[in-house]
C-alpha cells in the first residue's frame, strides 16, 4: 500500500476507448492498492489466485510463488514492512487478444536507510478466469512482462 504521506497513482494515458471488463478489473485492483483497501484489492481475485514472482528480480520473500489471498497478503505485508512504495506511475494497462491483461508501470520505492526513492520498472501479466484474477505474473522490467505476454 502506498505510503500515507505520499499516495499517488498516475493512470496510463487514455486511448479514448472504453476499458474492457478485464482492464476494469485490474484497474480496480490498482485503485484499491492506492487506498490500502484490502477488501477491494482482493475482491476480484479467484480463491486459488497465484502470485508468481519468479521473474521479479528484487523479490526477497521466502518463496517465488504464493497461492490464495491470505498467503499473498501475508507475503506482501512482510515485503512492505521494509520497503516503502511511494507512487505508481502506470504506463500501459491493456487487454491482450487472448484475454490476459498486461500492466506496465514505474514503482517509486524507498528501501530502509535510502534517502530518496528510486524508480523500479515493473510489469504484471494477469490471467483471468470467469471474471476473477487467477494468475499474476510479476516481472522486473517491461521487456520481461512483454515476453511472457507474447507481445
Amino acid at each position: 500500500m502506498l505510503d500515507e504521506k505520499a499516495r499517488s497513482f498516475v493512470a496510463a494515458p487514455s486511448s479514448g476507448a472504453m476499458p474492457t471488463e478485464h482492464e476494469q478489473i485490474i484497474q480496480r485492483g490498482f485503485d484499491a492498492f492506492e487506498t490500502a483497501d484490502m477488501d477491494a484489492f482482493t475482491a476480484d481475485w479467484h480463491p486459488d489466485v497465484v502470485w508468481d514472482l519468479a521473474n521479479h528480480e528484487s523479490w526477497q520473500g521466502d518463496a517465488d510463488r504464493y497461492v490464495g489471498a491470505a498467503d499473498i497478503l501475508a507475503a506482501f505485508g512482510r515485503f512492505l514492512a521494509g520497503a516503502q512504495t511511494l507512487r505508481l506511475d502506470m504506463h500501459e494497462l491493456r487487454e491482450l487478444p487472448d484475454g490476459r491483461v498486461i500492466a506496465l508501470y514505474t514503482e517509486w520505492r524507498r528501501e530502509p536507510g535510502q534517502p530518496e526513492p528510486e524508480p523500479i520498472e515493473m510489469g504484471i501479466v494477469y490471467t483471468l478466469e470467469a471474471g476473477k484474477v487467477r494468475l499474476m505474473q510479476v516481472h522486473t522490467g517491461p521487456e520481461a512482462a512483454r515476453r511472457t505476454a507474447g507481445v
Side-chain angles (χ1 to χ4, degrees), residues 98-121:
D98 63 6
R100 292 179 300 160
V101 174
I102 188 167
L104 304 175
Y105 59 95
T106 301
E107 179 178 330
W108 292 87
R109 185 186 310 157
R110 182 171 36 232
E111 300 292 336
Q114 198 176 26
E116 297 296 321
E118 66 179 42
I120 301 169
E121 300 302 319

Side-chain angles (χ1 to χ4, degrees), residues 26 30 99-103 124-128 133 135-137:
I26 302 309
F30 275 96
R100 292 179 300 160
V101 174
I102 188 167
I124 304 176
V125 178
Y126 296 88
T127 302
L128 292 95
V133 176
L135 173 63
M136 299 176 279
Q137 295 170 286

Side-chain angles (χ1 to χ4, degrees), residues 62-112:
D62 56 352
D64 62 8
R65 186 177 177 95
Y66 300 88
V67 179
D71 197 26
I72 293 168
L73 291 177
F76 201 59
R78 288 188 298 273
F79 171 71
L80 289 176
Q84 184 182 35
T85 299
L86 302 174
R87 185 176 86 226
L88 300 177
D89 295 334
M90 184 66 68
H91 305 298
E92 183 177 341
L93 177 66
R94 71 178 164 108
E95 185 169 348
L96 303 169
D98 63 6
R100 292 179 300 160
V101 174
I102 188 167
L104 304 175
Y105 59 95
T106 301
E107 179 178 330
W108 292 87
R109 185 186 310 157
R110 182 171 36 232
E111 300 292 336

Side-chain angles (χ1 to χ4, degrees), residues 1 7 28-29 31-43:
M1 295 51 48
R7 282 205 174 133
R28 281 195 303 265
D31 292 345
F33 177 81
E34 178 186 9
T35 62
D37 182 342
M38 292 300 96
D39 290 334
F41 185 57
T42 60

Side-chain angles (χ1 to χ4, degrees), residues 4-19:
E4 287 289 333
K5 297 177 193 136
R7 282 205 174 133
S8 177
F9 179 80
V10 179
S14 173
S15 67
M18 251 334 247

